Every structure is written in C-alpha cells, then in structure tokens.
Amino acid sequence: YCMPCEFGVNIPGNFQAMNLARVYGLTEPARRRYRNLGAGRASACRNCGKCEPKCPQKLEIRRQLAEVAKTLEQT
C-alpha cells in the first residue's frame, strides 16, 4: 500500500531485511540483503511522509526506515 515511493525506497524490502536481523538474529544476512537493495535502501528516504497515510497498519514508516538504515548500514 505504501508503494511506490517517489524516491525509489523499497519499503517492504527494507522491512524484510530488518526482520531478518530483529526477529531471527541474522544480522549479516540482513546486511547483505539490505546492500542488495541498491538505490532502494532506507537511507534514500527523504522523510516526505507520503507513505504513512497509505499504510493500513498505521506504521511509522519514516521512523522505521531510519532505524533500518542505522542498524543495517553499520559495519
């Protein structure tokens, strides 16, 4: 529902990568998946907020994308 992002962020793909780390503890595979998102990584988010009203789960997408970038871009 939140897609497409006008800045090319792959919101579901970022959340899937983060779930690998958060839910399953698979941090390195999560980082690889995140890197493979290329230009669709969470760090491409420009905080416009257009995705959030579209979300039926009322997720704080911008906040969660910032968390994804902080967590998965670390080396």
Side-chain angles (χ1 to χ4, degrees):
Y1 295 99
C2 55
M3 296 294 289
C5 168
E6 67 182 67
F7 298 101
V9 177
N10 181 340
I11 297 167
N14 280 281
F15 288 175
Q16 288 171 354
M18 187 64 170
N19 283 338
L20 281 177
R22 185 187 297 150
V23 176
Y24 301 105
L26 301 171
T27 304
E28 287 311 310
R31 287 185 175 145
R32 281 193 300 275
R33 182 173 287 189
Y34 180 76
R35 282 191 301 270
N36 287 337
L37 291 172
R41 292 184 196 125
S43 58
C45 176
R46 296 296 170 249
N47 256 342
C48 72
K50 292 180 182 176
C51 54
E52 291 184 359
K54 298 177 189 176
C55 180
Q57 296 176 349
K58 306 298 182 209
L59 298 177
E60 296 179 41
I61 295 171
R62 292 176 289 175
R63 183 188 59 75
Q64 289 186 22
L65 287 174
E67 181 183 347
V68 170
K70 181 180 177 183
T71 302
L72 299 182
E73 289 185 10
Q74 294 177 355
T75 56

